[in-house]
Amino acid sequence: MSKNLELINIDPWLKPAEKSLTERHKRFVNKLSGIEKKHGSISEYSNGYMYYGINHNKVNNTFTYREWAPNAKELFLTGDFNDWNKYSHPLTKINKSDWEIVLDANLYADKFVHGSKVKVIVVSDIGEHFRIPAYIKRAVQDDDTKNFSGQVWFSEPFDWFEFENKIERNNLYIYEAHIGMAQEKEGVGTYAEFTQNILPRIKKAGYNAVQLMGIHEHPYYGSFGYHVSNFFAPSSRFGTPEELKTLINTAHKMGIAVIMDIVHSHSVKNLNEGLNKFDGSANSYFYKGDKGIHPDWDSLLFDYGNEAVQHFLLSNIKYWIEEFHFDGFRFDGVGSMLYEHHGNEMFDSIDKYFNSSVDENAILYLQLANELAHSLNPNFITIAEDVSGMPGLAYPSDEGGIGFDYRLGMGIPDFWIKMLTDVPDENWNIREIWNVLCDRLYYIKTVAYAESHDQAMVGDKTIAFRLMDKEMYDLMQITDRNHIIDRGLALHKLIRFITLALGGQAYLNFMGNEFGHPEWIDFPRLGNNWSYKYAQRKWSLNDNKDLKYHMLANFDRDMISFAKKANLLDGGYGNILKIDEENKCLVFEKSDLIFVFNFNTNKSYEGYEVPVNRLGFYKIVFNSDKPEYAGHNRIDDSMLYESKTEEGSKPFIKMYLTNRTALVFRYDKFM
């Protein structure tokens, strides 16, 4: 008898899909049960990195290298240890798919050592190729040839700070960052520099999680880390694995959780570095034919129904959690994984989530990945990048969902771009703002954000640059008065604050955007003559107290501090008290607070009536118009506002409501 799934019980809209959801759940239960029966647990099953790749057996002092290459004809290990002799160290095929070589460590005590370079030669139907072992834990780029090699890497025991039970899961403020471009220099930043220079800024700004991009090794820096070649290797261009561990450990000591941007949605096509045609066949790791090629990303798509691929990816999940103590994963490209059309369709009916275009193998893999991550650390955070709205995406797998903790609210930044690009300020629709920010299912947790790295890339613009453009370069002095800058600063604050207040149960910001970083991101490439000019963050703008950037940073810091104290993210939906389209004002209640937003371009209102729910006194507890936030100091925060009622009306307070201002009131006392 099939289980009565909780997901269907709480969402009657899914009733027509009950059969599909039940089958999806049954596949997951059966697969997990099979894994547990054969291996004891999904954790034990996911130890592939301890079996494959290069591992040291301390008991008999041997090095074992194993590789999954079912279609290869011959494999040879080569490297510094044998002076790059191509054929002196053949691997033996130990079953239908696996190859192995065992080296006596005593015989190679001076050559097969920590840091020495290695490759594997794979002989197959497509010829003979130098490859990097699939499970390699470190890959390094040669300065002269720019080619990558694997590197023997034996990490020493690391003294970890205990952090697992300190993650504020219901009060999550995420600072999205890229190690390489986090420094203010025209070059590649390092793990060590990030630890020393950037983590203290994140702590000071009030964020309690940092989401790191580009951690997997990737041959092309400009891919932002999304064209992965070596899934078990932290990017060597930023430093050593130990330096990454130190970064994570230091963050933990600061009370900051560390989330990895994990890329299991696709892989780079490169033959020299990646998994493409690893054993000579086109589909060992990837789907056959066109199904295995992403038409937009020029990359390869994993065959999630292949047992060895599942094992590879699940082992990768466990590796990053166990070896590096990451506290969460933001799964890249989930929307692409879920559908054979990669999410490039209108999702205007429930059938679109359960028809033949859905990749049930990918869904099963994601269910297993979430099960594994949460079994290793019950406090682990998983976030899905999906714009389609797949039912049950962020709902427990054992109740019919896919198992993520959060989904990214990807429609929110798209909405703000549309508003800023296509709609004059005076025509902004206040109800539409409300509807977009509240457009989420109550049981699906959402990470709200106004902009991320996607909106900062060259060819796009950050909110600050859309608002203020070239004027930012010359008119951000404290003493400057300019209507474009004034408008930009005010709307920058309002957009971020209302997104945080209404958009979800977690909040995200991309590094530098909290102070209105003026420039886009452009990685070194042929088109810009391989320049690093725009692959950096100009923290000096924020540090210069003669410029207004630090005022936006002040606002962002105090906004987050206020939201934490008010437990705003865990406050559910807001409750509309007033939508005033004529005057472009919005009033709502949330977490026992009254929020008042005036988006009007130029009108301030004397004696504006704000509905409230109780008689008594109300006090302003947050004010976007403060001078330290580059506001105009038009409102006296010390005033008490007494609510009144008239015959047949609800209680209200009257106030001076200035244009492009956000205010929050707290009930003070009853008189």
Side-chain angles (χ1 to χ4, degrees):
M1 185 175 178
S2 62
K3 178 180 179 179
N4 187 19
L5 298 178
E6 185 178 286
L7 177 61
I8 298 170
N9 293 336
I10 65 171
D11 192 347
W13 182 75
L14 294 175
K15 191 67 178 174
E18 182 172 11
K19 183 172 183 288
S20 296
L21 282 167
T22 301
E23 289 174 353
R24 184 176 292 176
H25 176 258
K26 185 178 179 181
R27 277 192 295 272
F28 165 68
V29 170
N30 288 344
K31 180 67 176 181
L32 183 61
S33 176
I35 288 172
E36 291 172 342
K37 189 175 294 184
K38 186 174 180 180
H39 301 278
S41 69
I42 191 170
S43 176
E44 288 297 315
Y45 173 66
S46 304
N47 287 333
Y49 64 96
M50 301 180 192
Y51 179 80
Y52 293 109
I54 299 169
N55 291 286
H56 182 212
N57 186 328
K58 294 182 180 179
V59 176
N60 57 18
N61 199 25
T62 58
F63 299 110
T64 303
Y65 166 51
R66 296 189 186 95
E67 197 69 73
W68 178 74
N71 297 296
K73 295 179 178 179
E74 293 179 286
L75 273 73
F76 301 90
L77 183 64
T78 184
D80 294 338
F81 76 99
N82 67 358
D83 298 321
W84 294 95
N85 187 305
K86 292 174 68 175
Y87 307 118
S88 62
H89 288 76
L91 277 71
T92 301
K93 198 167 189 180
I94 57 175
N95 54 43
K96 290 182 179 181
S97 303
D98 296 338
W99 300 75
E100 177 186 87
I101 184 171
V102 180
L103 303 177
D104 186 336
N106 295 314
L107 298 178
Y108 296 93
D110 299 325
K111 288 203 169 185
F112 201 86
V113 295
H114 179 77
S116 61
K117 293 180 181 179
V118 292
K119 287 190 177 184
V120 59
I121 297 171
V122 180
V123 181
S124 69
D125 288 339
I126 63 170
E128 177 182 296
H129 294 89
F130 283 91
R131 308 303 299 262
I132 298 176
Y135 282 77
I136 200 74
K137 297 182 178 72
R138 182 165 164 84
V140 292
Q141 192 172 29
D142 183 85
D143 291 335
D144 296 323
T145 66
K146 301 304 179 185
N147 291 327
F148 279 81
S149 297
Q151 195 169 30
V152 178
W153 203 262
F154 301 120
S155 296
E156 295 296 321
F158 194 85
D159 185 18
W160 288 101
F161 175 75
E162 291 298 326
F163 181 71
E164 282 74 14
N165 295 319
K166 297 184 179 180
I167 302 172
E168 299 178 72
R169 294 175 62 87
N170 295 323
N171 216 5
L172 193 60
Y173 295 85
I174 304 168
Y175 198 87
E176 185 184 33
H178 184 280
I179 299 294
M181 59 164 290
Q183 305 304 313
E184 187 163 354
K185 66 178 183 180
E186 293 190 24
V188 180
T190 66
Y191 299 125
E193 288 173 323
F194 193 94
T195 303
Q196 181 177 350
N197 301 328
I198 309 305
L199 283 179
R201 291 182 181 275
I202 297 170
K203 176 67 175 178
K204 182 179 179 181
Y207 292 85
N208 54 20
V210 58
Q211 181 175 297
L212 297 179
M213 307 168 63
I215 296 301
H216 295 289
E217 189 60 85
H218 48 288
Y220 179 46
Y221 189 47
S223 76
F224 232 142
Y226 291 122
H227 275 196
V228 175
S229 54
N230 312 107
F231 285 80
F232 291 84
S235 180
S236 59
R237 58 170 53 88
F238 307 139
T240 67
E242 285 68 31
E243 287 168 331
L244 175 58
K245 290 178 180 180
T246 298
L247 186 163
I248 296 168
N249 215 31
T250 304
H252 287 170
K253 291 175 181 178
M254 292 180 174
I256 299 171
V258 186
I259 298 168
M260 177 181 171
D261 205 344
I262 199 164
V263 185
H264 284 181
S265 48
H266 61 136
S267 178
V268 71
K269 280 185 174 180
N270 299 33
L271 284 173
N272 291 331
E273 296 91 7
L275 300 172
N276 188 13
K277 300 180 182 178
F278 190 89
D279 65 354
S281 64
N283 60 298
S284 55
Y285 281 93
F286 307 107
Y287 282 127
K288 293 180 181 178
D290 290 342
K291 186 177 179 181
I293 301 173
H294 199 293
D296 300 321
W297 297 347
D298 191 33
S299 54
L300 301 175
L301 302 172
F302 286 107
D303 180 355
Y304 301 104
N306 185 318
E307 184 83 18
V309 174
Q310 284 184 8
H311 186 235
F312 176 83
L313 294 174
L314 289 172
S315 297
N316 195 238
I317 293 282
K318 183 174 181 179
Y319 171 74
W320 291 110
I321 296 175
E322 293 290 284
E323 295 297 313
F324 288 88
H325 286 220
F326 278 103
D327 307 292
F329 293 140
R330 178 263 199 190
F331 280 75
D332 171 70
V334 168
S336 173
M337 296 170 68
L338 296 174
Y339 314 94
E340 291 187 18
H341 54 66
H342 310 302
N344 295 324
E345 246 190 42
M346 289 292 294
F347 291 89
D348 49 6
S349 74
I350 192 171
D351 297 336
K352 297 291 183 70
Y353 301 108
F354 300 99
N355 61 25
S356 60
S357 70
V358 176
D359 189 339
E360 294 293 345
N361 291 330
I363 289 177
L364 176 58
Y365 165 68
L366 290 170
Q367 289 174 313
L368 293 171
N370 278 291
E371 177 71 21
L372 172 63
H374 292 117
S375 72
L376 294 171
N377 178 1
N379 293 313
F380 202 79
I381 299 163
T382 58
I383 303 168
E385 184 195 35
D386 169 45
V387 75
S388 75
M390 170 61 76
L393 182 71
Y395 203 74
S397 299
D398 60 356
E399 293 296 345
I402 299 178
F404 288 97
D405 296 301
Y406 295 91
R407 61 175 284 273
L408 285 176
M410 298 176 69
I412 298 174
D414 291 345
F415 169 73
W416 287 123
I417 288 171
K418 184 192 77 170
M419 293 288 281
L420 292 170
T421 304
D422 300 335
V423 185
D425 299 8
E426 59 270 20
N427 294 335
W428 282 16
N429 186 304
I430 302 304
R431 182 169 290 278
E432 184 182 15
I433 293 173
W434 170 271
N435 288 342
V436 168
L437 292 175
C438 296
D439 184 20
R440 62 183 187 277
L441 294 168
Y442 74 92
Y443 61 87
I444 302 292
K445 287 187 174 181
T446 299
V447 178
Y449 61 107
E451 53 187 342
S452 67
H453 73 272
D454 285 328
Q455 288 72 46
M457 298 293 284
V458 67
D460 208 334
K461 291 182 179 180
T462 62
I463 286 175
F465 209 58
R466 286 184 184 277
L467 288 167
M468 295 176 278
D469 211 78
K470 64 183 184 299
E471 279 76 13
M472 297 187 76
Y473 294 115
D474 301 313
L475 297 169
M476 287 289 279
Q477 294 283 335
I478 293 290
T479 54
D480 289 333
R481 293 291 177 264
N482 178 272
H483 72 281
I484 293 176
I485 297 296
D486 285 349
R487 167 187 177 264
L489 295 173
L491 286 179
H492 194 271
K493 293 180 289 184
L494 264 61
I495 287 170
R496 303 174 88 73
F497 188 34
I498 199 168
T499 298
L500 188 161
L502 291 175
Q505 294 86 359
Y507 179 74
L508 177 142
N509 164 65
F510 180 65
M511 63 177 182
N513 286 351
E514 72 277 9
F515 66 84
H517 199 284
E519 292 171 343
W520 54 85
I521 301 160
D522 190 8
F523 285 95
R525 55 187 173 84
L526 184 61
N528 64 18
N529 199 26
W530 303 103
S531 170
Y532 285 88
K533 181 178 180 180
Y534 296 107
Q536 58 171 308
R537 297 285 88 180
K538 295 187 175 180
W539 304 104
S540 58
L541 294 174
N542 181 35
D543 297 340
N544 187 341
K545 303 309 177 188
D546 292 329
L547 301 177
K548 294 179 180 178
Y549 294 99
H550 80 278
M551 294 176 165
L552 288 179
N554 290 343
F555 175 82
D556 197 80
R557 178 199 64 216
D558 290 354
M559 173 184 76
I560 287 174
S561 176
F562 165 76
K564 283 181 177 178
K565 291 175 183 175
N567 200 24
L568 200 53
L569 293 176
D570 204 28
Y573 292 97
N575 175 37
I576 292 178
L577 298 177
K578 184 176 186 178
I579 289 183
D580 184 350
E581 290 290 358
E582 181 180 354
N583 296 307
K584 302 303 175 190
C585 296
L586 171 65
V587 183
F588 61 89
E589 182 183 32
K590 185 174 179 179
S591 298
D592 291 326
L593 298 167
I594 305 296
F595 292 76
V596 184
F597 284 82
N598 179 2
F599 284 95
N600 202 292
T601 60
N602 54 28
K603 289 184 180 180
S604 300
Y605 304 103
E606 189 74 49
Y608 190 82
E609 288 191 7
V610 172
V612 295
N613 287 326
R614 289 185 284 184
L615 289 171
F617 288 86
Y618 289 80
K619 180 176 176 57
I620 294 174
V621 290
F622 194 77
N623 173 10
S624 73
D625 198 49
K626 284 184 176 182
E628 56 264 42
Y629 306 152
H632 300 289
N633 201 25
R634 295 169 289 178
I635 297 170
D636 182 359
D637 288 358
S638 66
M639 286 185 61
L640 282 177
Y641 296 82
E642 184 178 5
S643 62
K644 299 178 181 179
T645 185
E646 295 176 354
E647 187 175 349
S649 74
K650 291 183 177 181
F652 62 88
I653 58 176
K654 286 189 175 183
M655 58 167 300
Y656 177 46
L657 180 58
T658 56
N659 71 309
R660 288 182 176 141
T661 298
L663 299 171
V664 184
F665 293 84
R666 184 185 68 221
Y667 177 79
D668 195 69
K669 59 183 176 179
F670 185 82
M671 296 295 291

